[in-house]
């Protein structure tokens, strides 16, 4: 894969070839920062069981198959004019991290590091909105609604077109493994129709997307916004550029018409693409380690108060990267939930409600909208917090900067558990004493946009899909005309 603007595509600033070698596809880059003395709570940190693996991962972070993070790293080096250095805290790794792809989560970053990371993504997003990226596309990821027979037929058509020998490149196309024996898709018929298709039609599953996201140079989705959200869910870290054809209901994120798919894809592969980077959140479940003891515990004291040297009150139990929202609600319980909100190292408030919705700017038009939250332009670097049916007259939705680490916890004295969901998936129970951390992810979502599009498209989309501010126009006053007035009677002339 290579990147650049129209006039210098395929070259770095020094004129060299920017295409990555095969060895560079083996490890994912994380944004790394200079040393900082600020700290995160020890309860959020878990030492790596194998320091050698952490050291190996640190040494190889400068190579990546994700063009977004190549650009971020180049941007950071040019700004500092120094070689990249790995932060000392990189040896503090989440136990849930894959041993072959060690990573420091954004919740572990210091305030300064999180601010620098967010600033770098914002600067890069502005630049990408005004340039055209030319990519060397060889392997294509194809996603559709596997239960919709009409869309499966359209998927077959686009797969056959991509595999055709008439294309300038002999593409390798991956479709979902459930389509391998689907009668409508007829994979066997596709392969037997043209021998050149053999070996170039392959199948993906969730494990492949999780372990080898670098395998795909480009992603295409056929469906609606839900299909695009599923693509984000499949690629929890590295995300290939995603071009989405609008075949769903609303279409806030799906910008391309399928009827023009051949021309659209030809232009994208030959002339380049424009990318919009969408902010994603990283959410980590933190489990209490003190719930079974006989002592009385206070979640506020544990998260805000003094922390003993060797007393880790919580440990991580899984992380998720989301594009829309994290919702912590009452779940199947008939009574309202009780949660406590923390911003960085400070207690914000307690919430008695059906739940709390924490949304990205992209997710502001989803559950956040239904809960009464603000509509937010996707380029805003913010975190939206909205209560769901709060049992109070004074709770108003709040908008926080994306440089904070937000925590939503269930107090120890809560009557019932709460339940967390991530982009509407992976329902997880939060028992009293547990909490979830929410922060800006290092891995934004690269959404391909039509050429010449601008921020006005968002206003058009909410007006078109939600009838935003749609109202019959107020009639103007009709001016009185003196010649139509009978002076003697004071009445209008007929």
């Amino acid at each position: 894969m290579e990147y650049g603007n129209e006039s210098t595509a395929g070259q770095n600033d020094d004129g060299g070839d920017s295409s990555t070698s095969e060895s560079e596809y083996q490890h994912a880059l994380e944004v790394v920062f200079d040393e900082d003395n600020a700290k995160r709570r020890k309860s959020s940190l878990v030492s790596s069981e194998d320091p050698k693996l952490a050291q190996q991962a640190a040494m190889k972070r400068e190579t990546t198959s994700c063009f977004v993070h190549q650009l971020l790293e180049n941007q950071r080096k040019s700004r500092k004019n120094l070689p990249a250095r790995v932060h000392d805290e990189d040896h503090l790794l989440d136990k849930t991290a894959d041993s072959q792809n060690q990573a420091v989560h954004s919740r572990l970053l210091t305030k300064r590091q999180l601010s620098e990371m967010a600033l770098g993504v914002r600067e890069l997003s502005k630049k990408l909105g005004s340039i055209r990226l030319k990519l060397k596309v060889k392997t294509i990821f194809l996603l559709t609604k596997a239960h919709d027979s009409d869309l499966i037929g359209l998927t077959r058509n686009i797969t056959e077109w991509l595999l055709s020998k008439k294309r300038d490149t002999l593409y390798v196309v991956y479709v979902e493994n459930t389509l391998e024996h689907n009668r409508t898709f007829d994979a066997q018929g596709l392969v037997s129709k043209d021998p050149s298709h053999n070996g170039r039609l392959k199948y993906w599953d969730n494990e492949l997307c999780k372990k080898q996201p670098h395998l795909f140079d480009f992603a295409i989705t056929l469906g609606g916004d839900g299909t695009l959200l599923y693509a984000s869910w499949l690629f929890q870290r590295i995300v290939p550029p995603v071009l989405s054809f609008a075949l769903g209901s609303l279409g806030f994120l799906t910008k391309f018409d399928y009827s023009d798919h051949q021309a659209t894809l030809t232009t994208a592969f030959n002339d380049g693409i424009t990318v919009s980077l969408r902010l994603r959140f990283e959410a980590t479940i933190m489990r209490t380690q003190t719930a079974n003891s006989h002592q009385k515990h206070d979640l506020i004291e544990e998260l805000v108060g003094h922390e003993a040297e060797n007393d880790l009150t919580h440990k991580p139990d899984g992380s998720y990267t989301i594009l829309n929202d994290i919702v912590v609600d009452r779940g199947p319980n008939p009574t309202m939930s009780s949660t406590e909100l923390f911003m960085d190292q400070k207690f914000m408030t307690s919430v008695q409600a059906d739940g709390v919705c924490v949304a990205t700017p992209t997710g502001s038009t989803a559950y956040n909208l239904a809960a009464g939250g603000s509509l937010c332009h996707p380029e805003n670097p913010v975190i939206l917090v909205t209560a769901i049916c709060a049992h109070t007259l004074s709770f108003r939705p709040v908008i926080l900067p994306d440089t904070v680490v937000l925590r939503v916890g269930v107090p120890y004295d809560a009557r019932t558990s709460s339940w967390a969901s991530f982009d509407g998936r992976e329902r997880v129970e939060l028992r009293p004493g547990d909490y979830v951390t929410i922060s800006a992810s290092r891995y934004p979502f690269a959404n391909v946009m039509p050429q010449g599009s601008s921020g006005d498209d968002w206003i058009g989309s909410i007006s078109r899909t939600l009838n935003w501010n749609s109202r019959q126009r107020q009639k103007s006053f009709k001016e009185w005309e003196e010649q139509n007035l009978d002076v003697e009677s004071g009445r209008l002339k007929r």
Side-chain angles (χ1 to χ4, degrees):
M1 184 182 294
E2 61 181 349
Y3 54 88
N5 56 32
E6 287 186 351
S7 60
T8 61
Q11 291 185 339
N12 292 321
D13 294 337
D14 59 2
D17 186 5
S18 63
S19 59
T20 56
S21 65
E22 288 296 326
S23 62
E24 291 179 317
Y25 282 118
Q26 302 305 315
H27 293 274
L29 173 78
E30 287 186 359
V31 184
V32 292
F33 304 90
D34 292 333
E35 296 180 2
D36 196 300
N37 292 325
K39 297 179 180 179
R40 287 288 183 208
R41 292 182 61 83
K42 295 188 295 298
S43 295
S44 298
L45 306 178
V46 177
S47 298
S48 170
E49 296 179 358
D50 190 346
K52 293 183 179 179
L53 288 175
Q55 186 177 5
Q56 292 173 2
M59 294 175 62
K60 296 178 179 178
R61 282 194 180 110
E62 292 189 14
T63 60
T64 179
S65 60
C66 179
F67 77 94
V68 172
H69 295 87
Q70 287 180 5
L71 294 174
L72 278 172
E73 183 66 8
N74 292 340
Q75 179 190 61
R76 192 189 71 84
K77 286 182 180 180
S78 63
R79 184 168 62 245
K80 298 287 187 180
N81 197 26
L82 292 171
R85 292 188 296 173
V86 179
H87 192 272
D88 287 342
E89 286 186 343
D90 277 5
H91 70 283
L92 297 169
L93 301 173
D94 197 321
K95 281 185 179 178
T96 59
D98 185 86
S99 61
Q100 300 302 320
N101 187 19
Q102 298 282 4
V104 176
H105 294 274
S106 62
R107 64 183 168 82
L108 307 182
L109 299 180
T110 65
K111 183 73 173 179
R112 175 182 169 185
Q113 290 174 324
L114 198 57
S115 299
E116 288 184 0
M117 182 270 289
L119 178 62
V121 172
R122 289 199 291 269
E123 290 178 352
L124 179 59
S125 181
K126 290 180 180 179
K127 293 179 180 179
L128 290 179
S130 59
I131 65 175
R132 186 176 297 178
L133 295 168
K134 289 188 177 181
L135 311 176
K136 272 188 176 180
V137 177
K138 175 67 176 178
T139 305
I140 300 173
F141 173 89
L142 205 54
L143 174 64
T144 190
K145 296 179 182 178
H147 59 274
D148 191 318
S149 59
D150 291 337
L151 291 185
I152 291 175
L154 298 179
T155 303
R156 188 185 193 279
N157 294 339
I158 199 171
T159 301
E160 185 175 10
W161 183 84
L162 288 169
L163 291 174
S164 173
K165 291 186 293 185
K166 296 180 181 179
R167 307 285 78 79
D168 295 335
T169 302
L170 293 179
Y171 298 113
V172 176
V173 180
Y174 278 81
V175 298
E176 192 170 358
N177 58 355
T178 57
L179 299 181
E180 184 174 3
H181 303 292
N182 185 280
R183 292 182 180 181
T184 303
F185 187 76
D186 189 18
Q188 187 175 358
L190 271 176
V191 174
S192 61
K193 188 175 182 179
D194 189 336
S196 69
H197 296 174
N198 190 25
R200 294 195 292 124
L201 177 59
K202 299 185 178 182
Y203 305 94
W204 59 263
D205 57 18
N206 292 12
E207 280 299 307
L208 183 66
C209 297
K210 177 182 178 180
K211 294 183 177 180
Q212 300 185 55
H214 54 268
L215 184 64
F216 309 108
D217 301 319
F218 198 78
I220 301 172
T221 68
L222 286 78
D225 291 338
T227 308
L228 193 72
L229 285 174
Y230 186 42
S232 173
W233 181 260
L234 289 171
F235 296 100
Q236 286 286 292
R237 297 203 176 191
I238 292 176
V239 185
V242 180
L243 188 150
S244 302
F245 290 105
L247 293 165
S249 301
L250 291 178
F252 288 105
L253 299 171
T254 52
K255 302 295 185 180
F256 295 91
D257 188 353
Y258 180 82
S259 60
D260 299 325
H261 70 273
Q262 296 184 11
T264 298
L265 293 175
T266 300
T267 301
F269 296 152
N270 294 340
D271 300 336
I273 58 174
T274 299
V275 171
S276 171
L277 294 185
R278 295 297 183 106
L279 171 67
R280 296 201 294 176
F281 289 164
E282 176 190 286
T284 302
I285 301 294
M286 302 295 293
R287 299 293 187 188
T288 179
Q289 300 299 291
T290 58
N292 296 327
S293 64
H294 298 291
Q295 292 181 327
K296 186 177 180 180
H297 297 281
D298 183 359
L299 187 62
I300 297 177
E301 177 64 25
E302 287 184 352
L303 297 188
V304 177
H306 175 71
E307 189 175 30
E309 183 65 26
N310 297 317
D311 184 18
L312 300 184
T313 59
H314 294 77
K315 73 173 183 179
D317 185 30
S319 292
Y320 309 92
T321 302
I322 62 95
L323 180 59
N324 253 10
D325 50 42
I326 298 106
V327 176
V328 179
D329 58 35
R330 63 179 184 164
N333 300 311
T335 59
M336 65 182 177
S337 67
S338 176
T339 54
E340 293 175 335
L341 302 184
F342 303 82
M343 184 176 68
D344 288 335
Q345 304 301 317
K346 296 181 180 179
F347 172 70
M348 283 180 61
T349 187
S350 296
V351 182
Q352 309 292 320
D354 276 356
V356 177
C357 176
V358 181
T360 67
T362 297
S364 70
T365 53
Y367 202 164
N368 172 79
L369 169 67
S374 300
L375 292 177
C376 183
H377 193 284
E379 293 181 6
N380 283 326
V382 295
I383 299 174
L384 296 95
V385 182
T386 305
I388 304 169
C389 297
H391 196 257
T392 175
L393 298 177
S394 58
F395 192 103
R396 304 300 302 162
V398 293
I399 300 177
L400 306 174
D402 65 349
T403 56
V404 304
V405 175
L406 189 70
R407 292 175 174 85
V408 183
V410 182
Y412 283 98
D413 60 356
R415 293 184 176 182
T416 61
S417 298
S418 292
W419 292 76
S421 61
F422 309 88
D423 275 349
R425 297 178 179 273
E426 202 69 25
R427 201 97 162 121
V428 177
E429 182 180 7
L430 296 179
R431 293 177 287 274
D434 297 341
Y435 66 91
V436 55
T437 68
I438 303 165
S439 56
S441 172
R442 298 183 178 199
Y443 298 91
F445 186 84
N447 192 31
V448 178
M449 303 294 290
Q451 298 294 339
S453 61
S454 64
D456 297 338
D457 293 340
W458 183 76
I459 298 296
S461 67
I462 62 174
S463 299
R464 181 184 70 257
T465 58
L466 298 175
N467 293 320
W468 174 71
N469 198 31
S470 178
R471 181 191 185 277
Q472 184 176 350
R473 189 176 182 85
Q474 188 178 39
K475 294 180 180 180
S476 61
F477 289 117
K478 186 176 181 180
E479 296 291 338
W480 290 85
E481 297 181 2
E482 188 175 347
Q483 60 269 26
N484 292 333
L485 184 65
D486 188 330
V487 179
E488 295 181 358
S489 64
R491 297 179 179 178
L492 288 174
K493 294 180 181 180
R494 298 290 182 181

